[in-house]
């Protein structure tokens, strides 16, 4: 996609972008959506009695570029699983592309070379 010299307002003329966020970082996501001139996508996330996560996209994302903003702040495992279920819901709804935006990645400390104990 080319920007066509529109500067930062190029998102305003491109209607194929949908931005979803669950609950964390609401101030940050409001600033991002305001800067881009986009409304937040409507999403319904709830948990069943046995702890399973249910995600329902409440608008069409068919053929759209979807951005999911979901940090992995505590509880990291639940938030990461929630993100994966949201990705699956977008894939099943025929989104063109799905981009996960993770402002805080809780497992970043585990991504280093293992030390050898001799």
């Amino acid at each position: 996609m080319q920007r066509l010299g529109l500067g930062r307002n190029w998102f305003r003329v491109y209607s194929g972008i949908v931005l979803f966020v669950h609950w964390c970082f609401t101030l940050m996501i409001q600033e991002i959506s305001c800067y881009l001139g986009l409304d937040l996508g409507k999403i319904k996330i709830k948990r069943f009695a046995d702890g399973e996560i249910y995600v329902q996209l409440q608008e069409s994302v068919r053929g759209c570029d979807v951005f999911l903003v979901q940090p992995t702040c505590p509880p990291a495992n639940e938030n990461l699983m929630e993100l994966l279920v949201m990705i699956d819901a977008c894939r099943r709804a025929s989104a063109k592309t799905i981009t996960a935006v993770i402002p805080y990645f809780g497992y970043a400390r585990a991504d280093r070379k293992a030390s050898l104990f001799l």
Side-chain angles (χ1 to χ4, degrees):
M1 177 173 47
Q2 296 177 346
R3 289 192 179 199
L4 304 174
L6 296 174
R8 73 178 236 196
N9 294 328
W10 71 279
F11 284 102
R12 296 177 201 271
V13 298
Y14 182 68
S15 62
I17 294 178
V18 182
L19 187 63
F20 289 109
V21 64
H22 183 218
W23 60 273
C24 284
F25 292 97
T26 53
L27 180 61
M28 180 188 75
I29 199 64
Q30 287 174 351
E31 289 182 19
I32 291 172
S33 67
C34 181
Y35 180 81
L36 298 176
L38 298 171
D39 293 327
L40 294 178
K42 292 176 180 60
I43 189 169
K44 182 179 182 180
I45 301 174
K46 64 180 184 178
R47 297 190 184 274
F48 291 114
D50 64 352
E52 289 183 38
I53 300 167
Y54 170 74
V55 173
Q56 180 184 21
L57 303 176
Q58 297 183 323
E59 62 185 71
S60 175
V61 296
R62 183 178 302 272
C64 294
D65 298 317
V66 176
F67 290 83
L68 302 171
V69 181
Q70 177 75 5
T72 57
C73 55
N77 293 339
E78 291 178 18
N79 288 333
L80 186 59
M81 192 63 201
E82 203 169 86
L83 175 63
L84 294 174
V85 174
M86 289 190 322
I87 291 170
D88 181 61
C90 290
R91 185 184 59 82
R92 291 175 188 266
S94 302
K96 181 179 172 185
T97 62
I98 303 167
T99 304
V101 180
I102 306 174
Y104 173 77
F105 186 57
Y107 288 99
R109 290 179 290 221
D111 189 24
R112 43 182 127 137
K113 207 180 245 188
S115 61
L116 295 176
F117 294 102
L118 298 176

